[in-house]
Amino acid sequence: MTSAHDIRTPSPVNLLWTGGWDSTFRLLQLLLQHRVEVVPYYLEDPTRASTQREIQTVERITAALRESHPHTRALLQPLRRFAVEGIPVDPDIAAALREIRRRSYIGSQYAWLPAFCRQQALPDLELCVHVDDKVQALLRGYAQEFAHPAGYRSMRVDRAHTGSAEHTLFGSFSFPLFHIDKVGIDRAANAAGWGELMELTWFCHTPLRGRPCGICPPCVYTIEEGLARRVPPSRRVVSWFYRRLWLPLRTALRQWRATGHGRGNERPPAPGYGGT
C-alpha cells in the first residue's frame, strides 16, 4: 500500500539550488550518492548584490562536477532561473506568513517560495532547511518522515495539518537536511570526499571586494553555526560588534513591523535563503 506521504512522481528531483553550502551538499548527495536526475531552481533578484556571484558559483560547481564526475552530465539538468518579481503571492499565503510571524519571525522568502511552487505546479521542491534554522524549529511538531521513491528518507509537513499556516507555507516542500547542521554537513562532505567542491560554494548577500561581508544574514548564520572560517578574519571582527550591538535592535524592530506595526506595506527584502 502506498503511504499518503509518498511522492507520486519519483524523478527527477526538484531542488532549490543557490550555490550555497546547504543546497550544494544536497545536490552532491543526489548526484553522487543517490545518482538521481536533478532539476535545479534559482529565484533571481537582480537588486541583490550577490545574484551574479551566485549564478557564477552554480556554473563553476557544475563545470567542476562534469569534470570530476562525468556521469553528472546526464543527471544534472540546466539551472532554471525565475525572477522573484514575477511571482504573485496569493492572499492565503500572505496571511499564513503574517500568522506565523506573530509567533516567530521568518523571512519574506517564505511567501515567495510557496507562491512559486503554486505558480509552477511543483508538488515537491527540496528545500535545505537544517538544524539551527528557524524554519526547522518552527516545523518540528509538523514534519513527518517519508520514503522517497528515489530510495532515501526525507521530511515534509504532515498532511494532517492541512489548513494550518505551516502547511500553507511549507506543504509543497520536502526537507532532506532536517536532522543535520552546517558542521555536520562539513563532516559528512569531507568523509565523502566532497570537500573541494563544497569550498566552491558562496553564501554572502553583500560581498565586499569579492569577499564575504560578515554582517548579512547568511554571513551571520555561517559564523554562528560553526563555519566562521569561511569569513575573512577582519570581517569576523566587524561581525562580532554587529551581532552584539546593532543586530539585537534591528531584530526587535523587524519583529515589531512583522506583527502589523510600522510600515506594513514596504517591499519585502530580497529572498535570503540562509546561504543554502
Side-chain angles (χ1 to χ4, degrees), residues 21 198-203 212 222 227-232 236:
W21 183 258
M198 291 295 291
E199 290 304 315
L200 297 175
T201 60
W202 182 258
F203 54 94
T222 295
L227 294 179
R229 63 178 174 77
R230 304 205 71 209
V231 177
R236 273 181 254 159

Side-chain angles (χ1 to χ4, degrees), residues 27-73:
L27 180 80
L28 298 180
Q29 284 185 318
L30 292 169
L31 295 176
L32 306 183
Q33 179 181 342
H34 302 297
R35 294 190 173 232
V36 296
E37 186 178 2
V38 179
V39 179
Y41 289 85
Y42 180 87
L43 301 187
E44 183 175 353
D45 188 336
T47 67
R48 194 169 74 225
S50 63
T51 295
Q52 191 57 39
R53 179 64 179 262
E54 290 171 4
I55 296 296
Q56 291 171 349
T57 297
V58 164
E59 293 171 348
R60 187 176 300 116
I61 294 171
T62 298
L65 273 170
R66 288 173 175 170
E67 178 67 24
S68 59
H69 301 277
H71 77 274
T72 62
R73 299 173 188 175

Side-chain angles (χ1 to χ4, degrees), residues 230-243:
R230 304 205 71 209
V231 177
S234 62
R235 299 310 301 178
R236 273 181 254 159
V237 172
V238 173
S239 181
W240 188 92
F241 286 101
Y242 171 80
R243 287 179 287 122

